[in-house]
Amino acid sequence: MKDYERVARSSPDRLAEALIARHNVRMTNLMRLPEAYRVMAIEAMGPIAILDPSHHLLGMTLNRVPVEYTGEFPRDLAWGVDSQIAAVRLLLSGQIVGAATIARQQLERWTIVLARAAGLSREEGESIANYFARSWTAFDSFSPESRVADAQIDLQDLDAGIEEYEPGADEPGSDHQHIVLSDGTEICPGAVYGYLSEIMHARECHDVTSWESEWLLDPRKMPTESALPIKAIADAISLSLIQIGMLTAVGLHRAGKHTEAYRLANYKSWPHRFSERDLASESREWWAASTSSDHGVERAAVPTSGVSPTLVSLMPLTPTEGLRKRNVAYLEARYWTYIGIRTGYRPAGRLYRDDEMVTLVFDAHRYSSAQFARSALDTEAALLGDSFDLHTLDSRGSVYIVVSELAAVASIWTAGAVSAALKLISSSLRSAYWLWLEDDDRAMACLRCTLEQAARVVATVEKPRKAERLENSPAPTSRWLEAAGWKRLNALNQAIGEYAHAQKKVDPLASRLLLSALQMDVDPDKDAIMTARGNALDLVTEFAARSVLTALRTVSSTVADTALELLEAGMLDLTQKHKEEVLNHSMKIRNAASAPSGHEASQSVTG
């Protein structure tokens, strides 16, 4: 603390430099994570190399918008695959909370689609864990043929969603079967879903969020407990990919491609995890290939250590980072290598190992994300004309980085619930920013985590007894907002909460309209809806900053005062007057949205 106080006394700019230096160290450490961590993070992607060609047969190529989930059913299935890539990317970046948010959303969506295909519905009073356990137990009893030919589901209507949170990550109380993968891994879907929910609400995984926020992913300080959240996220990815595969098989069957459909439906034969390496066999294959007549292939040595995605495919898609020309060119080359391998090309002169193939799949999908992000920037430049400035995006990102790092620093100097909440603020805000850059709606789901923990910090500091009662009886986000004196933010909470669950029937435009209406001093007729999620990111960042400053003032007024000066010199208005204006505007929008019904409600919110 004394070091930060010395820096703070120097100037706000020096404090900003210290905070951004923390961010840079964390980014550097991404390439130093232990191999065991990286292997656990990527191996669940194995089946994607099977699903991509199957989706191609249904007319869905990799040249697509990864975050789009409306349209014909192959679009839904491809979005499901891209979502697993998104979760793994955050996992490889140490952002456990963001990865858990995406993984839980996907597990929820595809489990409920599975239940509908099996003709099952949730019984009155049935817990989510028991419902999931019952659905997967029924699914596991079906034969591959029945999964394909007898699936009772409208592929054009893949709706799913649960809007509640049940605390706990224990095994379901009812009799149920675990799903067994090809390598013998056993998964309890209900327990996995509960554990991911606990991570999002800062009730589990404290050591790992500390590692990310406080210790900057220093490989020497990786906690042994990190295996638990990685496994839970990987298991959720495996389960989601199984159901995506089953629906793909149904689509293939209905398209008359019966052989491909039945082969895909036998999910127990999939490569769910990496097989054990045999270096001697790999070397023999390489030498045999090197003596062939195919001299146009560059021969690479057999790697003795694991291969995993590089920083190029992980970094945020800003013009100065992931979207730099040479970085996009690298991903494009990887994309074409992947396409070539699917047609029989062997760029290494041998078959790729599991880790090499999965890494190639990951990079190829990340190229789609980079293409879309670059196209979105071009569109924005065309709309804004001379007022478009790439540097604005970088300076805006600096504010999110500074707030997230301030939260991380404050978590070191505090304890208990306040420290745990600050760690989650740091992690979830970072993920929200990265996902927002890719136009991914899950950025809003991460912001829901940020907002809840920001309210938890303020409530704990200012109303400790009330906060203690809420801690003893897990409460929804709205209760924390009320305890923090932010009840009027319920419209914002409602809007971003919709994105935490994957529901196709709930029009995503409705939540966007509500977010659009929450913007102040914006003309709704001039593309206000296009800036709605960015405004939500700014709003939550503002209240996260207020909570961080509240925590800092309990331990160091010197750092808190300089931090306030730093943030207000940027893009945040942290005055009490502005706070009241935001709260009152939010309450006005909430009242307008809830007063009428039907079509009138939509008109009220947008007007």
Side-chain angles (χ1 to χ4, degrees):
M1 188 189 303
K2 64 180 182 180
D3 295 324
Y4 272 90
E5 288 179 333
R6 176 173 52 80
V7 169
R9 290 189 190 98
S10 177
S11 72
D13 288 344
R14 289 294 304 280
L15 178 59
E17 290 169 4
L19 295 170
I20 292 175
R22 287 177 51 86
H23 166 79
N24 293 339
V25 170
R26 186 185 293 104
M27 292 296 293
T28 300
N29 280 337
L30 293 186
M31 290 297 96
R32 300 175 58 223
L33 297 184
E35 184 174 341
Y37 179 102
R38 297 172 69 79
V39 168
M40 287 183 66
I42 67 175
E43 63 177 350
M45 292 190 294
I48 295 178
I50 300 173
L51 294 174
D52 279 344
S54 299
H55 290 162
H56 189 80
L57 291 174
L58 294 174
M60 183 55 62
T61 68
L62 277 183
N63 185 21
R64 63 197 187 216
V65 179
V67 295
E68 184 180 350
Y69 55 95
T70 57
E72 299 297 311
F73 83 92
R75 172 64 270 171
D76 281 331
L77 303 179
W79 170 71
V81 167
D82 292 328
S83 295
Q84 314 316 316
I85 298 287
V88 170
R89 178 209 176 200
L90 294 183
L91 189 57
L92 284 170
S93 302
Q95 298 173 31
I96 298 291
V97 178
T101 300
I102 296 176
R104 191 195 74 161
Q105 179 216 50
Q106 289 293 299
L107 177 57
E108 172 190 299
R109 179 184 180 88
W110 301 114
T111 296
I112 299 177
V113 171
L114 141 70
R116 290 180 57 198
L120 301 175
S121 59
R122 190 177 175 190
E123 298 173 353
E124 185 175 353
E126 185 177 23
S127 69
I128 298 174
N130 284 348
Y131 177 41
F132 277 26
R134 183 163 59 89
S135 299
W136 280 93
T137 297
F139 165 78
D140 201 41
S141 67
F142 300 155
S143 67
E145 291 77 13
S146 64
R147 294 187 192 116
V148 170
D150 301 332
Q152 302 300 310
I153 190 167
D154 181 359
L155 289 175
Q156 302 298 339
D157 183 23
L158 302 181
D159 173 39
I162 289 178
E163 298 183 5
E164 60 194 271
Y165 161 58
E166 293 177 351
D170 298 327
E171 285 267 348
S174 59
D175 291 336
H176 64 282
Q177 296 293 323
H178 289 178
I179 298 299
V180 181
L181 305 183
S182 55
D183 69 330
T185 297
E186 287 193 22
I187 304 176
C188 176
V192 168
Y193 183 88
Y195 186 75
L196 295 177
S197 297
E198 294 291 88
I199 292 175
M200 294 170 62
H201 291 274
R203 296 185 178 279
E204 290 284 356
C205 197
H206 294 160
D207 287 344
V208 183
T209 51
S210 294
W211 179 48
E212 179 199 358
S213 59
E214 178 179 354
W215 298 112
L216 309 176
L217 300 177
D218 186 334
R220 298 166 299 180
K221 298 180 179 179
M222 187 182 78
T224 55
E225 293 81 359
S226 61
L228 295 175
I230 297 173
K231 183 180 186 307
I233 293 167
D235 287 349
I237 289 171
S238 292
L239 293 173
S240 295
L241 288 176
I242 287 172
Q243 290 311 315
I244 293 168
M246 295 308 100
L247 291 167
T248 303
V250 172
L252 290 171
H253 184 268
R254 294 181 185 178
K257 302 181 185 299
H258 305 301
T259 301
E260 295 87 346
Y262 289 130
R263 184 185 302 124
L264 189 62
N266 185 21
Y267 79 88
K268 294 187 178 181
S269 66
W270 293 6
H272 294 108
R273 297 289 188 270
F274 290 169
S275 56
E276 205 169 320
R277 288 195 62 183
D278 184 348
L279 286 173
S281 176
E282 291 175 20
S283 298
R284 285 195 300 272
E285 181 187 6
W286 183 87
W287 280 110
S290 67
T291 59
S292 69
S293 59
D294 185 7
H295 298 293
V297 175
E298 181 181 350
R299 303 303 180 189
V302 178
T304 56
S305 59
V307 173
S308 57
T310 66
L311 186 60
V312 170
S313 54
L314 300 180
M315 62 177 57
L317 294 183
T318 64
T320 57
E321 295 173 288
L323 293 184
R324 295 182 69 177
K325 285 186 178 180
R326 67 183 183 187
N327 293 341
V328 176
Y330 168 80
L331 294 177
E332 182 178 14
R334 298 284 286 171
Y335 167 84
W336 286 113
T337 299
Y338 180 46
I339 298 299
I341 283 181
R342 282 163 47 182
T343 61
Y345 174 58
R346 292 190 183 185
R350 57 176 173 79
L351 291 176
Y352 267 13
R353 297 196 324 261
D354 294 343
D355 55 337
E356 293 173 304
M357 190 64 192
V358 163
T359 299
L360 185 64
V361 169
F362 182 88
D363 290 346
H365 280 261
R366 289 301 298 161
Y367 176 59
S368 297
S369 297
Q371 272 190 309
F372 172 60
R374 192 164 55 178
S375 175
L377 278 179
D378 292 341
T379 300
E380 186 176 352
L383 287 172
L384 297 178
D386 293 338
S387 63
F388 178 73
D389 184 4
L390 284 175
H391 297 295
T392 301
L393 187 60
D394 286 330
S395 60
R396 185 174 180 176
S398 296
V399 176
Y400 309 135
I401 292 172
V402 165
V403 173
S404 65
E405 295 301 340
L406 271 173
V409 169
S411 75
I412 302 172
W413 304 337
T414 52
V418 171
S419 179
L422 288 167
K423 290 181 176 70
L424 195 135
I425 288 172
S426 176
S427 182
S428 59
L429 182 58
R430 189 175 304 112
S431 294
Y433 168 50
W434 284 29
L435 293 172
W436 171 75
L437 286 169
E438 307 199 11
D439 208 27
D440 193 325
D441 283 342
R442 271 79 62 101
M444 302 297 100
C446 291
L447 287 181
R448 178 80 175 282
C449 300
T450 309
L451 183 62
E452 178 184 55
Q453 298 307 314
R456 184 184 177 198
V457 168
V458 173
T460 303
V461 172
E462 298 182 352
K463 301 174 184 176
R465 290 185 179 179
K466 188 168 187 177
E468 185 177 4
R469 289 196 297 271
L470 293 178
E471 294 284 356
N472 293 332
S473 178
T477 306
S478 59
R479 294 286 303 281
W480 282 111
L481 291 176
E482 181 181 356
W486 300 348
K487 184 178 181 180
R488 286 169 284 176
L489 282 182
N490 272 332
L492 174 62
N493 179 45
Q494 174 189 335
I496 60 179
E498 291 286 346
Y499 293 100
H501 305 280
Q503 305 176 68
K504 190 178 180 183
K505 271 191 177 177
V506 178
D507 185 358
L509 190 60
S511 297
R512 190 81 63 85
L513 288 172
L514 183 53
L515 288 177
S516 179
L518 285 168
Q519 298 178 92
M520 298 169 61
D521 303 321
V522 173
D523 187 346
D525 297 327
K526 291 187 177 180
D527 299 318
I529 199 169
M530 302 298 293
T531 58
R533 288 170 301 173
N535 179 73
L537 177 57
D538 290 342
L539 267 180
V540 175
T541 300
E542 175 187 327
F543 279 85
R546 293 181 186 278
S547 72
V548 173
L549 291 172
T550 297
L552 279 174
R553 288 192 182 99
T554 66
V555 291
S556 175
S557 59
T558 300
V559 177
D561 290 343
T562 304
L564 174 61
E565 186 179 350
L566 168 63
L567 293 171
E568 288 195 324
M571 58 179 286
L572 298 182
D573 184 349
L574 297 175
T575 62
Q576 184 66 22
K577 177 184 176 183
H578 180 68
K579 173 184 172 183
E580 286 300 311
E581 289 173 348
V582 171
L583 293 174
N584 288 336
H585 181 68
S586 178
M587 183 174 66
K588 176 184 175 182
I589 297 303
R590 175 65 182 268
N591 292 341
S594 59
S597 60
H599 180 66
E600 286 184 70
S602 176
Q603 293 296 312
S604 299
V605 170
T606 57

